């Protein structure tokens, strides 16, 4: 019963260089195939947890001088909302700067994403604490990721608590997110209203009137029954 295996073993050992090359090639091929399958699965499942995903669209902007790209000017989405009744809601997202957050005796460097009020109602990022309809309603509010909230407050509900912001300002915690899905193209540690940035950053206010500077990302939510192709 063992003779065929002994013969095979002797043959493999006799041609061990050729055998090693074949085994390594087979291993590499299998690894590549597995990697491709994982990548395809990730691409297929990426962002598919958004309940309104079939009505969510990211805008691209371009002209005869500049190719289409995800970067948009600040006013464009507001103009689209005013001109096209098919648009139910919109939001812009922007990472602007790093700020110093303080609570108790601790301080943390935070780089928030600034968004419009409808962000949480458009995208399916559920809150552990707070209400998606009011969490960003006040321009001085902030929504924290689950990980950041745990580091700062521990296992409590901190909604309504005030935190120091760049030493001289105060923000109120409007909500705490549940852990963000890994298969999300949007990853952030904190959310703040775009209106806060407008009120507190003169340079940003200047940029919001420009139809040339494409510096943020814009999304629209179409009304149910709307054909996006026109």
């Amino acid at each position: 019963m063992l003779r065929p295996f002994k013969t095979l073993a002797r043959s493999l050992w006799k041609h061990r260089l050729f055998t090693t090359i074949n085994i390594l090639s087979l291993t590499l091929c299998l690894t590549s195939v597995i990697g491709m399958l994982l990548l395809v699965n990730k691409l297929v499942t990426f962002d598919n947890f958004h309940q309104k995903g079939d009505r969510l669209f990211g805008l691209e902007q371009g002209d005869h001088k500049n190719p289409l790209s995800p970067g948009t000017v600040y006013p464009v989405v507001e103009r689209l909302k005013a001109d096209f009744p098919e648009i139910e809601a919109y939001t812009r997202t922007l990472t602007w700067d790093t700020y110093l957050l303080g609570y108790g005796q601790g301080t943390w460097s935070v780089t928030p994403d600034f968004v419009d009020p409808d962000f949480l109602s458009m995208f399916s990022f559920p809150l552990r604490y707070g209400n998606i309809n009011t969490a960003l309603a006040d321009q001085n509010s902030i929504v924290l990721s689950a990980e950041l909230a745990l580091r700062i407050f521990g296992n409590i509900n901190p909604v309504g608590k005030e935190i120091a912001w760049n030493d001289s300002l105060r923000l109120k915690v409007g909500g705490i997110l549940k852990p963000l899905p890994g298969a999300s193209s949007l990853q952030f540690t904190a959310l703040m209203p775009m209106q806060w940035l407008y009120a507190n950053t003169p340079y940003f206010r200047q940029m919001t009137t420009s139809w040339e500077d494409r510096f943020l990302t814009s999304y629209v939510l179409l009304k149910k029954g709307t054909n996006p192709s026109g």
Side-chain angles (χ1 to χ4, degrees), residues 103-126:
Y103 183 77
Q105 301 302 312
T107 57
W108 297 264
S109 293
V110 179
T111 306
D113 278 27
F114 291 94
V115 299
D116 287 294
D118 286 328
F119 179 87
L120 288 174
S121 62
M122 291 171 60
F123 294 94
S124 299
F125 295 113

PDB file of all heavy atoms in Angstrom, residues 103-126:
ATOM      1  N   TYR A 103     -11.560  67.610  28.142  1.00  0.00           N
ATOM      2  CA  TYR A 103     -12.624  67.254  29.084  1.00  0.00           C
ATOM      3  C   TYR A 103     -11.962  66.744  30.360  1.00  0.00           C
ATOM      4  O   TYR A 103     -11.091  65.855  30.317  1.00  0.00           O
ATOM      5  CB  TYR A 103     -13.530  66.169  28.503  1.00  0.00           C
ATOM      6  CG  TYR A 103     -14.688  65.811  29.417  1.00  0.00           C
ATOM      7  CD1 TYR A 103     -15.797  66.644  29.517  1.00  0.00           C
ATOM      8  CD2 TYR A 103     -14.656  64.650  30.187  1.00  0.00           C
ATOM      9  CE1 TYR A 103     -16.849  66.335  30.363  1.00  0.00           C
ATOM     10  CE2 TYR A 103     -15.695  64.323  31.034  1.00  0.00           C
ATOM     11  CZ  TYR A 103     -16.794  65.171  31.117  1.00  0.00           C
ATOM     12  OH  TYR A 103     -17.833  64.858  31.953  1.00  0.00           O
ATOM     13  N   GLY A 104     -12.390  67.299  31.493  1.00  0.00           N
ATOM     14  CA  GLY A 104     -11.751  66.913  32.747  1.00  0.00           C
ATOM     15  C   GLY A 104     -10.285  67.322  32.721  1.00  0.00           C
ATOM     16  O   GLY A 104      -9.933  68.449  32.394  1.00  0.00           O
ATOM     17  N   GLN A 105      -9.412  66.394  33.011  1.00  0.00           N
ATOM     18  CA  GLN A 105      -7.981  66.662  32.998  1.00  0.00           C
ATOM     19  C   GLN A 105      -7.314  66.187  31.716  1.00  0.00           C
ATOM     20  O   GLN A 105      -6.096  66.305  31.578  1.00  0.00           O
ATOM     21  CB  GLN A 105      -7.316  65.957  34.201  1.00  0.00           C
ATOM     22  CG  GLN A 105      -7.861  66.378  35.556  1.00  0.00           C
ATOM     23  CD  GLN A 105      -7.721  67.866  35.783  1.00  0.00           C
ATOM     24  OE1 GLN A 105      -6.652  68.440  35.567  1.00  0.00           O
ATOM     25  NE2 GLN A 105      -8.793  68.517  36.229  1.00  0.00           N
ATOM     26  N   GLY A 106      -8.100  65.663  30.778  1.00  0.00           N
ATOM     27  CA  GLY A 106      -7.517  65.101  29.568  1.00  0.00           C
ATOM     28  C   GLY A 106      -7.692  65.996  28.351  1.00  0.00           C
ATOM     29  O   GLY A 106      -8.611  66.817  28.293  1.00  0.00           O
ATOM     30  N   THR A 107      -6.800  65.845  27.387  1.00  0.00           N
ATOM     31  CA  THR A 107      -6.899  66.542  26.111  1.00  0.00           C
ATOM     32  C   THR A 107      -6.640  65.544  24.980  1.00  0.00           C
ATOM     33  O   THR A 107      -5.858  64.608  25.130  1.00  0.00           O
ATOM     34  CB  THR A 107      -5.884  67.696  26.013  1.00  0.00           C
ATOM     35  OG1 THR A 107      -4.557  67.178  26.216  1.00  0.00           O
ATOM     36  CG2 THR A 107      -6.178  68.774  27.029  1.00  0.00           C
ATOM     37  N   TRP A 108      -7.298  65.776  23.855  1.00  0.00           N
ATOM     38  CA  TRP A 108      -7.178  64.891  22.703  1.00  0.00           C
ATOM     39  C   TRP A 108      -7.134  65.720  21.427  1.00  0.00           C
ATOM     40  O   TRP A 108      -7.875  66.705  21.291  1.00  0.00           O
ATOM     41  CB  TRP A 108      -8.370  63.922  22.632  1.00  0.00           C
ATOM     42  CG  TRP A 108      -8.481  62.993  23.780  1.00  0.00           C
ATOM     43  CD1 TRP A 108      -8.029  61.707  23.853  1.00  0.00           C
ATOM     44  CD2 TRP A 108      -9.086  63.252  25.050  1.00  0.00           C
ATOM     45  NE1 TRP A 108      -8.308  61.156  25.074  1.00  0.00           N
ATOM     46  CE2 TRP A 108      -8.965  62.087  25.847  1.00  0.00           C
ATOM     47  CE3 TRP A 108      -9.727  64.368  25.597  1.00  0.00           C
ATOM     48  CZ2 TRP A 108      -9.453  62.007  27.135  1.00  0.00           C
ATOM     49  CZ3 TRP A 108     -10.208  64.305  26.894  1.00  0.00           C
ATOM     50  CH2 TRP A 108     -10.072  63.127  27.642  1.00  0.00           C
ATOM     51  N   SER A 109      -6.284  65.325  20.497  1.00  0.00           N
ATOM     52  CA  SER A 109      -6.262  65.957  19.184  1.00  0.00           C
ATOM     53  C   SER A 109      -7.307  65.280  18.304  1.00  0.00           C
ATOM     54  O   SER A 109      -7.298  64.051  18.162  1.00  0.00           O
ATOM     55  CB  SER A 109      -4.876  65.822  18.540  1.00  0.00           C
ATOM     56  OG  SER A 109      -3.919  66.570  19.260  1.00  0.00           O
ATOM     57  N   VAL A 110      -8.195  66.066  17.732  1.00  0.00           N
ATOM     58  CA  VAL A 110      -9.300  65.530  16.952  1.00  0.00           C
ATOM     59  C   VAL A 110      -9.353  66.230  15.590  1.00  0.00           C
ATOM     60  O   VAL A 110      -9.237  67.458  15.520  1.00  0.00           O
ATOM     61  CB  VAL A 110     -10.649  65.730  17.683  1.00  0.00           C
ATOM     62  CG1 VAL A 110     -11.797  65.180  16.851  1.00  0.00           C
ATOM     63  CG2 VAL A 110     -10.610  65.062  19.044  1.00  0.00           C
ATOM     64  N   THR A 111      -9.514  65.435  14.540  1.00  0.00           N
ATOM     65  CA  THR A 111      -9.701  65.974  13.195  1.00  0.00           C
ATOM     66  C   THR A 111     -11.104  65.601  12.737  1.00  0.00           C
ATOM     67  O   THR A 111     -11.330  64.503  12.206  1.00  0.00           O
ATOM     68  CB  THR A 111      -8.657  65.410  12.208  1.00  0.00           C
ATOM     69  OG1 THR A 111      -7.342  65.634  12.734  1.00  0.00           O
ATOM     70  CG2 THR A 111      -8.779  66.076  10.843  1.00  0.00           C
ATOM     71  N   PRO A 112     -12.078  66.482  12.946  1.00  0.00           N
ATOM     72  CA  PRO A 112     -13.466  66.129  12.632  1.00  0.00           C
ATOM     73  C   PRO A 112     -13.770  66.265  11.147  1.00  0.00           C
ATOM     74  O   PRO A 112     -13.051  66.950  10.408  1.00  0.00           O
ATOM     75  CB  PRO A 112     -14.266  67.160  13.439  1.00  0.00           C
ATOM     76  CG  PRO A 112     -13.381  68.366  13.454  1.00  0.00           C
ATOM     77  CD  PRO A 112     -11.972  67.843  13.515  1.00  0.00           C
ATOM     78  N   ASP A 113     -14.822  65.612  10.720  1.00  0.00           N
ATOM     79  CA  ASP A 113     -15.401  65.836   9.397  1.00  0.00           C
ATOM     80  C   ASP A 113     -16.557  66.812   9.562  1.00  0.00           C
ATOM     81  O   ASP A 113     -17.459  66.572  10.379  1.00  0.00           O
ATOM     82  CB  ASP A 113     -15.894  64.529   8.789  1.00  0.00           C
ATOM     83  CG  ASP A 113     -14.774  63.732   8.136  1.00  0.00           C
ATOM     84  OD1 ASP A 113     -13.621  63.874   8.558  1.00  0.00           O
ATOM     85  OD2 ASP A 113     -15.069  62.974   7.214  1.00  0.00           O
ATOM     86  N   PHE A 114     -16.533  67.879   8.810  1.00  0.00           N
ATOM     87  CA  PHE A 114     -17.622  68.851   8.847  1.00  0.00           C
ATOM     88  C   PHE A 114     -18.675  68.466   7.807  1.00  0.00           C
ATOM     89  O   PHE A 114     -18.343  68.173   6.651  1.00  0.00           O
ATOM     90  CB  PHE A 114     -17.094  70.257   8.593  1.00  0.00           C
ATOM     91  CG  PHE A 114     -16.254  70.781   9.719  1.00  0.00           C
ATOM     92  CD1 PHE A 114     -14.881  70.633   9.697  1.00  0.00           C
ATOM     93  CD2 PHE A 114     -16.836  71.394  10.819  1.00  0.00           C
ATOM     94  CE1 PHE A 114     -14.094  71.104  10.738  1.00  0.00           C
ATOM     95  CE2 PHE A 114     -16.072  71.862  11.868  1.00  0.00           C
ATOM     96  CZ  PHE A 114     -14.688  71.717  11.829  1.00  0.00           C
ATOM     97  N   VAL A 115     -19.934  68.448   8.234  1.00  0.00           N
ATOM     98  CA  VAL A 115     -21.019  67.978   7.370  1.00  0.00           C
ATOM     99  C   VAL A 115     -22.228  68.895   7.524  1.00  0.00           C
ATOM    100  O   VAL A 115     -22.313  69.685   8.467  1.00  0.00           O
ATOM    101  CB  VAL A 115     -21.416  66.528   7.714  1.00  0.00           C
ATOM    102  CG1 VAL A 115     -20.261  65.566   7.511  1.00  0.00           C
ATOM    103  CG2 VAL A 115     -21.942  66.432   9.149  1.00  0.00           C
ATOM    104  N   ASP A 116     -23.174  68.758   6.587  1.00  0.00           N
ATOM    105  CA  ASP A 116     -24.434  69.485   6.681  1.00  0.00           C
ATOM    106  C   ASP A 116     -25.420  68.712   7.558  1.00  0.00           C
ATOM    107  O   ASP A 116     -25.237  67.508   7.807  1.00  0.00           O
ATOM    108  CB  ASP A 116     -25.002  69.711   5.287  1.00  0.00           C
ATOM    109  CG  ASP A 116     -24.213  70.774   4.531  1.00  0.00           C
ATOM    110  OD1 ASP A 116     -24.251  71.936   4.958  1.00  0.00           O
ATOM    111  OD2 ASP A 116     -23.551  70.438   3.525  1.00  0.00           O
ATOM    112  N   PRO A 117     -26.483  69.373   8.040  1.00  0.00           N
ATOM    113  CA  PRO A 117     -27.386  68.760   9.027  1.00  0.00           C
ATOM    114  C   PRO A 117     -28.015  67.442   8.603  1.00  0.00           C
ATOM    115  O   PRO A 117     -28.331  66.611   9.459  1.00  0.00           O
ATOM    116  CB  PRO A 117     -28.458  69.837   9.228  1.00  0.00           C
ATOM    117  CG  PRO A 117     -27.780  71.116   8.902  1.00  0.00           C
ATOM    118  CD  PRO A 117     -26.837  70.793   7.792  1.00  0.00           C
ATOM    119  N   ASP A 118     -28.240  67.231   7.293  1.00  0.00           N
ATOM    120  CA  ASP A 118     -28.924  66.016   6.848  1.00  0.00           C
ATOM    121  C   ASP A 118     -28.013  64.798   6.723  1.00  0.00           C
ATOM    122  O   ASP A 118     -28.468  63.723   6.319  1.00  0.00           O
ATOM    123  CB  ASP A 118     -29.606  66.261   5.498  1.00  0.00           C
ATOM    124  CG  ASP A 118     -30.848  67.124   5.632  1.00  0.00           C
ATOM    125  OD1 ASP A 118     -31.520  67.035   6.680  1.00  0.00           O
ATOM    126  OD2 ASP A 118     -31.153  67.882   4.696  1.00  0.00           O
ATOM    127  N   PHE A 119     -26.743  64.946   7.053  1.00  0.00           N
ATOM    128  CA  PHE A 119     -25.795  63.847   6.868  1.00  0.00           C
ATOM    129  C   PHE A 119     -26.261  62.559   7.527  1.00  0.00           C
ATOM    130  O   PHE A 119     -26.279  61.489   6.909  1.00  0.00           O
ATOM    131  CB  PHE A 119     -24.419  64.246   7.419  1.00  0.00           C
ATOM    132  CG  PHE A 119     -23.375  63.172   7.309  1.00  0.00           C
ATOM    133  CD1 PHE A 119     -22.615  63.040   6.163  1.00  0.00           C
ATOM    134  CD2 PHE A 119     -23.149  62.275   8.351  1.00  0.00           C
ATOM    135  CE1 PHE A 119     -21.644  62.049   6.054  1.00  0.00           C
ATOM    136  CE2 PHE A 119     -22.188  61.289   8.258  1.00  0.00           C
ATOM    137  CZ  PHE A 119     -21.438  61.172   7.104  1.00  0.00           C
ATOM    138  N   LEU A 120     -26.640  62.632   8.800  1.00  0.00           N
ATOM    139  CA  LEU A 120     -26.996  61.417   9.544  1.00  0.00           C
ATOM    140  C   LEU A 120     -28.326  60.817   9.106  1.00  0.00           C
ATOM    141  O   LEU A 120     -28.563  59.622   9.309  1.00  0.00           O
ATOM    142  CB  LEU A 120     -27.028  61.716  11.048  1.00  0.00           C
ATOM    143  CG  LEU A 120     -25.666  61.940  11.710  1.00  0.00           C
ATOM    144  CD1 LEU A 120     -25.838  62.366  13.160  1.00  0.00           C
ATOM    145  CD2 LEU A 120     -24.802  60.687  11.618  1.00  0.00           C
ATOM    146  N   SER A 121     -29.207  61.621   8.514  1.00  0.00           N
ATOM    147  CA  SER A 121     -30.469  61.075   8.025  1.00  0.00           C
ATOM    148  C   SER A 121     -30.334  60.509   6.617  1.00  0.00           C
ATOM    149  O   SER A 121     -31.160  59.713   6.179  1.00  0.00           O
ATOM    150  CB  SER A 121     -31.564  62.145   8.050  1.00  0.00           C
ATOM    151  OG  SER A 121     -31.236  63.232   7.201  1.00  0.00           O
ATOM    152  N   MET A 122     -29.280  60.898   5.907  1.00  0.00           N
ATOM    153  CA  MET A 122     -29.034  60.380   4.565  1.00  0.00           C
ATOM    154  C   MET A 122     -28.273  59.056   4.615  1.00  0.00           C
ATOM    155  O   MET A 122     -28.644  58.081   3.965  1.00  0.00           O
ATOM    156  CB  MET A 122     -28.258  61.402   3.739  1.00  0.00           C
ATOM    157  CG  MET A 122     -29.036  62.660   3.379  1.00  0.00           C
ATOM    158  SD  MET A 122     -28.018  63.955   2.626  1.00  0.00           S
ATOM    159  CE  MET A 122     -27.383  63.113   1.158  1.00  0.00           C
ATOM    160  N   PHE A 123     -27.206  59.039   5.398  1.00  0.00           N
ATOM    161  CA  PHE A 123     -26.373  57.848   5.519  1.00  0.00           C
ATOM    162  C   PHE A 123     -26.774  57.053   6.761  1.00  0.00           C
ATOM    163  O   PHE A 123     -27.215  57.623   7.758  1.00  0.00           O
ATOM    164  CB  PHE A 123     -24.896  58.230   5.610  1.00  0.00           C
ATOM    165  CG  PHE A 123     -24.352  58.861   4.365  1.00  0.00           C
ATOM    166  CD1 PHE A 123     -24.316  60.239   4.233  1.00  0.00           C
ATOM    167  CD2 PHE A 123     -23.885  58.082   3.324  1.00  0.00           C
ATOM    168  CE1 PHE A 123     -23.817  60.838   3.083  1.00  0.00           C
ATOM    169  CE2 PHE A 123     -23.379  58.659   2.173  1.00  0.00           C
ATOM    170  CZ  PHE A 123     -23.351  60.036   2.042  1.00  0.00           C
ATOM    171  N   SER A 124     -26.588  55.752   6.689  1.00  0.00           N
ATOM    172  CA  SER A 124     -27.001  54.868   7.788  1.00  0.00           C
ATOM    173  C   SER A 124     -25.849  54.629   8.760  1.00  0.00           C
ATOM    174  O   SER A 124     -25.310  53.519   8.854  1.00  0.00           O
ATOM    175  CB  SER A 124     -27.524  53.540   7.233  1.00  0.00           C
ATOM    176  OG  SER A 124     -28.640  53.751   6.409  1.00  0.00           O
ATOM    177  N   PHE A 125     -25.479  55.679   9.478  1.00  0.00           N
ATOM    178  CA  PHE A 125     -24.515  55.560  10.566  1.00  0.00           C
ATOM    179  C   PHE A 125     -25.295  55.724  11.868  1.00  0.00           C
ATOM    180  O   PHE A 125     -25.496  56.846  12.346  1.00  0.00           O
ATOM    181  CB  PHE A 125     -23.427  56.631  10.456  1.00  0.00           C
ATOM    182  CG  PHE A 125     -22.546  56.496   9.245  1.00  0.00           C
ATOM    183  CD1 PHE A 125     -22.569  57.447   8.245  1.00  0.00           C
ATOM    184  CD2 PHE A 125     -21.694  55.413   9.110  1.00  0.00           C
ATOM    185  CE1 PHE A 125     -21.763  57.330   7.130  1.00  0.00           C
ATOM    186  CE2 PHE A 125     -20.874  55.275   7.995  1.00  0.00           C
ATOM    187  CZ  PHE A 125     -20.916  56.238   7.006  1.00  0.00           C
ATOM    188  N   PRO A 126     -25.766  54.639  12.456  1.00  0.00           N
ATOM    189  CA  PRO A 126     -26.641  54.743  13.629  1.00  0.00           C
ATOM    190  C   PRO A 126     -25.917  55.271  14.852  1.00  0.00           C
ATOM    191  O   PRO A 126     -24.703  55.100  15.011  1.00  0.00           O
ATOM    192  CB  PRO A 126     -27.115  53.304  13.845  1.00  0.00           C
ATOM    193  CG  PRO A 126     -26.059  52.457  13.211  1.00  0.00           C
ATOM    194  CD  PRO A 126     -25.531  53.241  12.056  1.00  0.00           C
TER     195      PRO A 126
END
